[in-house]
Amino acid sequence: MSSDLDGWLRPAPRPGAHKVVVLALDGVYPFELGIPHRVLGSAGGRYEVLSASVDGGPVRTDADLTVTPGHGPEVLAEAGTVIIPPHALAAGQTEPGPAALAALARVRPGTRLVSICTGAFLLAAAGLLDGRRATTHWALAEHFQRLFPRVEFDAGVLFVDHGDVLTSAGAASGVDVCLHLVRRDHGTEVANHVARCCVVPPYRDGGQAQYVERPLPPASEAGTGPTRDWALGRLDRPLSLDALAAHAAMSPRTFARRFQEETGLSPGRWLTRQRLRRARHLLESSDLPVERVAHEVGFATATSLRRHLAAEAGVTPSAYRRTFRAGSGAG
């Protein structure tokens, strides 16, 4: 990257830039429609991001405006990645219209497909999610499962990555999945620069819980946030529930209850995710042996790190490092 201004100046796509087509359906949400352009367009010309409609004409949004994408469905056949942002579902709607399905049929085999929120309905209607784990906004879980029982639906995550098909939840998770694409394609350093340009967190775990409706603790109660910050600076050390509760000046039982209310996770599960997040960063950005990475993030042994990473990402630390080191060389 030549300058932090790249995110504003939006350099022209580089020769051979990866072509991304954003397919806008009728009733598209303007905010999410713009996410791929903003995030991927901030990657220093590494992506060429285009918009298309199913018939080449204007598209009605869910707001009081209409947008006119620059392309028709024919451009989908040229894409390396197709992203489907969310659109408003009409009452009683059971599946996308035939024009949307016909447009999606133009996509070449092997093209990477990404949905944001209700964009997953189009992928599912086309049979592309059958037998796969997928997600959309948590509020649509029951509706989605009724329509597409062959999909292994998971309402509790921000996004799901199957390599060739990715599905994400509502609104801000579209930012998460697009940053994830940048990380996959070009490594952590580029993704962090893009996040800085967009003024968003550089990484939220795809397995992080969606923010479903939960009662909030009364405002007069002390929160667990300061203790979470304290723990993040000590991930390489043993951190028991008793130690966390003592730092927060609460009983272990009260601390565990409030922690669950505020994060949607138990303290133990949250610590494991933070340690895995730190481990992934070290695997991507350093040459430390796996045993040292495990020690640095608070796992007792490399075997423990391997077990937890395999459960979360389905790969070993060495395989994870090879994947992201290969991507980081594409800068």
Side-chain angles (χ1 to χ4, degrees):
M1 293 280 183
S2 60
S3 167
D4 282 341
L5 289 175
D6 286 350
W8 287 104
L9 299 177
R10 306 297 293 272
R14 300 179 180 184
H18 185 86
K19 183 172 289 187
V20 178
V21 176
V22 184
L23 179 60
L25 304 182
D26 193 47
V28 68
Y29 296 169
F31 173 70
E32 289 89 334
L33 174 63
I35 287 174
H37 295 271
R38 185 68 185 93
V39 175
L40 302 181
S42 298
R46 292 172 171 84
Y47 300 91
E48 179 184 10
V49 186
L50 308 174
S51 295
S53 62
V54 300
D55 58 4
V59 177
R60 178 186 57 84
T61 73
D62 80 320
D64 61 342
L65 55 95
T66 297
V67 296
T68 304
H71 302 273
E74 64 282 350
V75 76
L76 292 165
E78 305 170 7
T81 296
V82 171
I83 299 178
I84 306 164
H87 60 286
L89 298 176
Q93 184 174 354
T94 58
E95 63 179 30
L101 290 168
L104 190 63
R106 292 175 177 260
V107 176
R108 297 173 300 178
T111 300
R112 183 168 60 185
L113 299 169
V114 183
S115 67
I116 302 173
C117 194
T118 58
F121 282 72
L122 177 57
L123 297 183
L128 298 171
L129 300 180
D130 288 356
R132 295 183 184 238
R133 183 165 153 263
T135 195
T136 186
H137 194 288
W138 61 267
L140 298 168
E142 292 184 6
H143 183 51
F144 188 94
Q145 289 173 294
R146 283 196 303 269
L147 293 180
F148 308 112
R150 295 181 181 179
V151 180
E152 182 186 340
F153 185 75
D154 189 343
V157 296
L158 296 179
F159 59 85
V160 177
D161 181 357
H162 281 286
D164 59 333
V165 179
L166 297 88
T167 54
S168 63
S173 65
V175 176
D176 296 315
V177 77
C178 285
L179 280 172
H180 178 71
L181 294 179
V182 178
R183 289 179 73 247
R184 267 184 48 176
D185 295 345
H186 301 289
T188 300
E189 183 178 354
V190 175
N192 287 348
H193 176 88
V194 170
R196 188 165 62 250
C197 290
C198 297
V199 199
V200 295
Y203 185 77
R204 288 201 300 167
D205 185 355
Q208 179 176 326
Q210 293 186 33
Y211 294 111
V212 299
E213 292 177 341
R214 292 189 181 94
L216 294 175
S220 60
E221 294 182 352
T224 63
T227 297
R228 294 199 300 274
D229 291 340
W230 174 80
L232 286 174
R234 294 164 174 78
L235 290 179
D236 59 329
R237 310 175 196 178
L239 290 169
S240 66
L241 175 60
D242 286 345
L244 294 170
H247 180 271
M250 302 180 192
S251 71
R253 184 173 181 178
T254 297
F255 178 83
R257 174 176 58 80
R258 293 186 185 171
F259 198 99
Q260 181 81 32
E261 289 173 345
E262 293 175 21
T263 69
L265 299 169
S266 68
R269 180 60 180 149
W270 181 85
L271 278 171
T272 296
R273 287 192 173 178
Q274 300 311 312
R275 285 175 166 142
L276 284 171
R277 179 180 179 182
R278 184 75 56 82
R280 284 193 299 266
H281 175 74
L282 290 175
L283 290 169
E284 295 171 24
S285 62
S286 78
D287 294 317
L288 293 175
V290 172
E291 291 77 8
R292 178 67 182 277
V293 170
H295 173 75
E296 290 290 327
V297 303
F299 288 115
T301 63
T303 299
S304 179
L305 170 59
R306 291 187 185 99
R307 184 175 68 252
H308 284 293
L309 188 62
E312 181 187 71
V315 296
T316 65
S318 297
Y320 184 91
R321 171 172 272 163
R322 284 195 301 271
T323 297
F324 284 97
R325 282 299 178 85
S328 64

